[in-house]
Amino acid sequence: VGAAYGGAVNQRSQGAIVAARYGALAVIVRSMTTGIDDYPHTGAMRYVDTVAKIPACAISTKGAEHLSVVLKQHKDIRFFLNMNCQTLPDEVSYNVVGEIKGSEHPDEIIVVGGHLDSWDLGEGAHDDGAGVVQSMEILYLFKKLGIRPKRTVRIVAFMNEENGVRGANKYAELAAANKEKHMAAMESDSGGFSPMGFQLHGEAGKVAHIKQWSGLFTPYFIYEFGNGHGGTDIEPLAKQGTTLIGLSPNSQRYFDYHHCALDKLENVDERELEMGAAAMAAMVYLLDHYGI
Ligand SMILES: [Zn+2]
């Protein structure tokens, strides 16, 4: 689940830093998944200026188990690394934005989004095609049901979440420069699985106000209204006083697909994806109708 990933991912993100301090020539990390398979999982890692930038790679869980067995049998084993990854120069890219203007309070914005970019091993279907599609679906559902929001509902497909959150940082920077008032920001970036609840972050009174609606979601088994991380792409808006809301889907299988070749369209369940979109649309409706 998400908490398990959070507890283990420092081996990938900071393993090279720690290994280099011990004089390691390279670091080989077991992929961040409980699935036992042959798919290596990539992801962000970093260096600090004070230590050598040693090669770092992640191998599949099957590969890691094999390596562990071989290491126990042969203490003098040699490992050959042949890597061809490289960092290419930056290119100009864009967030993609669409909105329905509010009928009564057009200057009050409810922003909802996911991220456009993905790791190149897979298609990024769960991470984060799901979040982008679910966000778009909210506007579609509003139009289909003939709901004209009182406040502006804006959908943003953020660029470059995985490699530096630069689309989201630019969005928040422009929101501040243009003096836009973002009442709430919602994000879906935990996979297209059955919705279980929402993680909330913001002023205590506003968070409590949103929690009052939890009973409306309970019949759909969406009952986890916790205080937590809203989402990486909406996080930069927090210092403008925006209340953050992160969709919490069932994360038991997410890390089987996360950042690997298995993150492809056929591994997203259409019905579960739709239930997440419906939960998000219901939350946006409540935010728009009652305010916070
Ligand atoms: Zn993501």
Side-chain angles (χ1 to χ4, degrees):
V1 295
Y5 177 76
V9 74
N10 62 355
Q11 295 165 37
R12 183 194 74 213
S13 62
Q14 293 162 61
I17 298 169
V18 177
R21 287 205 177 112
Y22 284 101
L25 299 175
V27 60
I28 304 148
V29 179
R30 180 189 171 95
S31 284
M32 296 299 132
T33 175
T34 50
I36 302 297
D37 56 30
D38 275 320
Y39 297 97
H41 294 234
T42 190
M45 54 82 60
R46 54 201 164 88
Y47 297 104
V48 288
D49 289 340
T50 50
V51 292
K53 291 185 175 179
I54 58 172
C57 73
I59 57 173
S60 72
T61 44
K62 268 192 181 171
E65 301 213 333
H66 178 63
L67 179 60
S68 178
V69 169
V70 172
L71 277 169
K72 287 184 185 102
Q73 288 169 349
H74 308 282
K75 297 288 177 204
D76 58 346
I77 195 94
R78 284 163 179 257
F79 193 103
F80 291 92
L81 273 167
N82 186 355
M83 297 163 70
N84 60 4
C85 50
Q86 55 184 313
T87 301
L88 300 173
D90 283 343
E91 288 286 340
V92 174
S93 56
Y94 301 90
N95 295 331
V96 179
V97 182
E99 66 180 23
I100 300 178
K101 272 257 181 285
S103 58
E104 288 177 31
H105 313 287
D107 55 325
E108 287 184 24
I109 299 164
I110 301 165
V111 67
V112 189
H115 64 85
L116 275 176
D117 60 310
S118 68
W119 292 95
D120 46 11
L121 288 175
E123 296 169 355
H126 276 294
D127 185 13
D128 187 21
V132 170
V133 167
Q134 287 173 322
S135 300
M136 289 160 53
E137 186 76 358
I138 295 168
L139 294 189
Y140 172 73
L141 288 172
F142 272 44
K143 290 198 84 159
K144 193 177 173 186
L145 295 170
I147 298 168
R148 174 86 200 269
K150 294 194 276 189
R151 297 169 168 86
T152 294
V153 179
R154 180 183 291 169
I155 306 307
V156 182
F158 292 98
M159 183 47 87
N160 192 14
E161 187 266 353
E162 301 284 5
N163 187 25
V165 201
R166 287 202 261 170
N169 285 329
K170 179 57 75 176
Y171 181 87
E173 184 191 313
L174 291 173
N178 296 330
K179 296 191 167 45
E180 286 184 340
K181 187 180 168 201
H182 283 72
M183 183 180 87
M186 186 191 297
E187 177 170 333
S188 165
D189 185 18
S190 302
F193 303 96
S194 290
M196 309 292 286
F198 295 94
Q199 294 296 318
L200 308 164
H201 176 90
E203 240 175 72
K206 291 178 179 172
V207 166
H209 189 84
I210 293 170
K211 284 182 181 177
Q212 284 178 359
W213 301 328
S214 63
L216 297 168
F217 293 87
T218 313
Y220 306 96
F221 302 103
I222 299 166
Y223 51 80
E224 189 205 316
F225 283 67
N227 293 353
H229 176 67
T232 305
D233 279 314
I234 53 175
E235 185 96 57
L237 288 167
K239 54 179 177 292
Q240 299 174 29
T242 306
T243 303
L244 309 183
I245 305 165
L247 180 73
S248 265
N250 186 328
S251 65
Q252 286 192 47
R253 296 266 68 89
Y254 182 44
F255 295 96
D256 291 2
Y257 306 114
H258 186 249
H259 296 183
C260 81
L262 293 172
D263 189 1
K264 51 188 180 179
L265 203 57
E266 50 267 52
N267 286 331
V268 179
D269 182 277
E270 191 176 339
R271 175 74 180 147
E272 292 187 32
L273 185 75
E274 285 176 351
M275 289 195 294
M280 292 166 72
M283 179 58 84
V284 171
Y285 176 83
L286 292 165
L287 291 165
D288 174 56
H289 202 74
Y290 297 107
I292 46 172

